[in-house]
Each structure stands twice: as C-alpha cells, then as structure tokens.
Amino acid sequence: YTDMMRWKDRLFFGTGGNGGYFYVLDIRNGLPLTTIKTGGTQCFVHVDNLCYILKNEKKAQLVCIDLSDGKIVSQCDLPGIASIDSRITMIDNSIHIITYNISRSKSKGFTWSCVKV
C-alpha cells in the first residue's frame, strides 16, 4: 500500500491494514533482508541509507532501518497511535510525525512529534 522505493540494490515498501509489514528486499535475488511487523505501514521517510517507518504494534514507534543490511538501528516510542491518517516527513534534519489519540474507538485529537536525526 506504500510506494516502492529503491536504494542501490534494495527495494523497500510497506503494506497497510492490520498486521501490515515493512519489507527490505535484495533486488538481485528477491529475498527479504528484513520483514518487520508494523501493524500497518502507511508512509515512511528515506534518507541516504536509512529508512524511518511508523510502527503501531500496541503503541506508536518510530523505527530506523539501515537499508544496507536491513537491521533496525534505533526505535523510540511515540505518544498516541499510528493510523492510516498518520504522517511522517523530514524537515531540516528532523523527522516530524503525526500520531492520534484514540479513546473508545473515537479520535481525541492528534500529537505532533519531532525527532532530530
């Protein structure tokens, strides 16, 4: 459900919906270097050899993946939950993220987070 992007000999993309995943594939053989259960990847940010994704498995997390080897470099918890409406973007060497505050299946507003990279 996300765009497919290429970095060198890597292809990476995410799938949406409950139980979604983020994949980093080796283009030469089509095998996955990494498969991360995200709870539904809707968007990500690619900077050089790093890719930042939103993960929503019980809580929102920002996860940084090194595309050269597919390994998780870092992850941090975020307030709220990541949903289909969440957004992530890079502005001035910082990752900006919108997550949502949900109570009893109803939106109670959003939270903007900024993480310096």
Side-chain angles (χ1 to χ4, degrees), residues 2 18-19 23-24 29-30 38 44 46-49 55-56 61 67-68 91 94 99 106:
T2 66
N18 293 330
Y23 299 94
V24 178
N29 59 25
T38 61
F44 56 83
H46 171 232
V47 182
D48 299 321
N49 66 310
K55 182 178 174 186
N56 193 41
Q61 290 183 314
L67 295 172
S68 60
I91 301 171
S94 295
T99 53
K106 293 184 180 185

Side-chain angles (χ1 to χ4, degrees), residues 19-81:
Y21 289 84
F22 183 80
Y23 299 94
V24 178
L25 305 178
D26 185 323
I27 288 175
R28 297 170 295 183
N29 59 25
L31 296 175
L33 290 171
T34 194
T35 302
I36 299 171
K37 186 170 177 155
T38 61
T41 304
Q42 300 300 325
C43 49
F44 56 83
V45 171
H46 171 232
V47 182
D48 299 321
N49 66 310
L50 300 176
C51 187
Y52 297 87
I53 65 170
L54 287 176
K55 182 178 174 186
N56 193 41
E57 287 288 291
K58 298 186 182 173
K59 59 186 170 189
Q61 290 183 314
L62 177 65
V63 179
C64 177
I65 302 162
D66 186 332
L67 295 172
S68 60
D69 60 11
K71 296 191 189 291
I72 294 175
V73 174
S74 65
Q75 52 190 356
C76 67
D77 292 344
L78 299 169
I81 65 164

Side-chain angles (χ1 to χ4, degrees), residues 81 101-108:
I81 65 164
N101 307 316
I102 307 281
S103 177
R104 299 179 197 208
S105 301
K106 293 184 180 185
S107 179
K108 298 288 185 184

